[in-house]
Amino acid sequence: MFNSIDSLAAFVHAAQLGSFSAAARHLGKSQSTVSEAISQLEIDAGVQLFDRRTRQPTLTAAGSRLLSHAQHVLNSHADLRHQALALQAGEEAQLSIVLSDTFQSLEFEALLTAFAAQFPMLRLECLVGEDQDVLALLRSGRAQLGLVRAQGAYQADISYQAIAGQTQIALYVGKQHPLALYGHVDEAQLLMHRELMLSTYSERQPSIHSPRCWLAPSYLMLLEMTARNFGWAALPTWLAEQFGQSQLVQLSAANWPKTTTIDLVWLRNANLGPAACWLIEQIKRAS
């Protein structure tokens, strides 16, 4: 029972979602089934995983230590399942992948060249999305794989693999914008001007730098608005250099540019075909 995938899944989902009932809803099981699976796991492990004296069960010190190991087992099981499915199934008719404008990598482009040679008949669909929109497209079944700015932590239904390399995001204005005259800008100066801000459909955040802001769903649209001097924006440096070099000025500011990494993400329980599994495996080998 200690090696039961169902028990480990109940444990991980309860820890991440904050309650046995939430885990049960996510797994499509009754709360009593989840509670019993976790209790049996505690018996087999010989330690208490949750403190049940509070209104919502909280992880014990032992539970916190074992959680990452349980997640690793689930990830390995998912990898095994995907590889088995790839061997059983024929090549999928189409693979949809969500790309992020934060990311440009010559290594990834080379990987796509190898991918095209490996699966010459596959129909590849490339979508564009950022942050929570990428995860929403996976959960809706609209896409099978996605590239997303590293989130730090993901819900239990998401598997991920960091991609080698980093990307930078910096502050930019159009050449005719008042801020372009300054060698260095501070928070007070940014507050005086409109912020052009990325806003995904899944999650809209208020501006924290300016009381005035315009929102756009993509970095390319933000770049266009910035070039027209509507305000200042945080943009991927590769995008600004390639598409706005003659129209934009990079601002010097404290803690900018910011460096981030990119993750490849997919649904843990998705029935991925051979092409998707091949791409995941190649990225794992390169990372």
Side-chain angles (χ1 to χ4, degrees):
M1 188 66 176
F2 184 69
N3 292 316
S4 167
I5 295 299
D6 289 341
S7 295
L8 293 175
F11 169 41
V12 170
H13 281 77
Q16 292 190 342
L17 299 178
S19 71
F20 291 179
S21 58
R25 288 192 298 272
H26 187 86
L27 293 169
K29 300 180 181 297
S30 67
Q31 183 173 340
S32 61
T33 299
V34 168
S35 180
E36 181 180 350
I38 293 174
S39 294
Q40 186 61 54
L41 187 60
E42 290 176 320
I43 292 172
D44 291 340
V47 295
Q48 186 175 353
L49 302 174
F50 289 96
D51 184 348
R52 295 169 174 79
R53 293 174 296 179
T54 55
R55 184 173 179 272
Q56 296 288 358
T58 55
L59 281 174
T60 63
S64 295
R65 288 186 61 182
L66 291 177
L67 179 59
S68 62
H69 296 286
Q71 291 171 316
H72 178 72
V73 172
L74 287 179
N75 287 336
S76 296
H77 179 265
D79 288 344
L80 175 64
R81 180 170 174 269
H82 291 154
Q83 291 301 323
L85 287 172
L87 292 173
Q88 295 173 14
E91 181 180 314
E92 57 265 55
Q94 175 172 309
L95 176 63
S96 297
I97 181 169
V98 191
L99 304 178
S100 167
D101 282 335
T102 59
F103 181 66
Q104 185 193 45
S105 166
L106 296 178
E107 291 78 10
F108 186 73
E109 292 176 3
L111 177 59
L112 288 182
T113 300
F115 180 85
Q118 184 75 17
F119 302 97
M121 302 302 294
L122 178 73
R123 178 178 177 179
L124 179 66
E125 179 186 29
C126 294
L127 308 173
V128 176
E130 305 294 342
D131 300 332
Q132 293 300 314
D133 278 354
V134 178
L135 305 183
L137 287 167
L138 295 181
R139 290 181 174 123
S140 70
R142 182 66 182 81
Q144 291 76 53
L145 301 176
L147 296 179
V148 64
R149 182 167 46 181
Q151 305 292 294
Y154 297 90
Q155 292 189 12
D157 62 333
I158 299 294
S159 291
Y160 71 95
Q161 173 64 46
I163 295 179
Q166 295 181 321
T167 188
Q168 279 194 335
I169 297 179
L171 300 182
Y172 291 91
V173 291
K175 286 190 172 181
Q176 303 305 315
H177 192 279
L179 288 177
L181 300 175
Y182 295 90
H184 182 88
V185 296
D186 56 27
E187 190 75 17
Q189 290 170 310
L190 293 176
L191 283 169
M192 295 173 60
H193 298 274
R194 181 184 296 114
E195 179 180 5
L196 307 176
M197 187 176 179
L198 183 71
S199 175
T200 67
Y201 292 112
S202 303
E203 185 176 25
R204 300 187 184 277
Q205 299 290 342
S207 171
I208 60 174
H209 297 291
S210 173
R212 296 173 294 169
C213 68
W214 286 4
L215 307 176
S218 73
Y219 280 114
L220 276 174
M221 189 176 294
L222 284 182
L223 186 150
E224 178 69 20
M225 293 162 66
T226 306
R228 292 181 179 274
N229 303 296
F230 293 144
W232 58 271
L235 300 171
T237 55
W238 80 267
L239 197 70
E241 291 169 0
Q242 184 163 327
F243 296 105
Q245 187 175 20
S246 63
Q247 301 170 291
L248 301 179
V249 174
Q250 182 175 333
L251 296 176
S252 172
N255 302 317
W256 291 90
K258 296 183 184 296
T259 300
T260 186
T261 55
I262 301 297
D263 289 338
L264 178 71
V265 291
W266 63 95
L267 286 184
R268 187 189 305 279
N269 293 323
N271 291 322
L272 299 180
C277 291
W278 182 91
L279 196 55
I280 292 171
E281 185 62 28
Q282 295 303 311
I283 288 177
K284 284 183 176 181
R285 291 180 181 177
S287 300

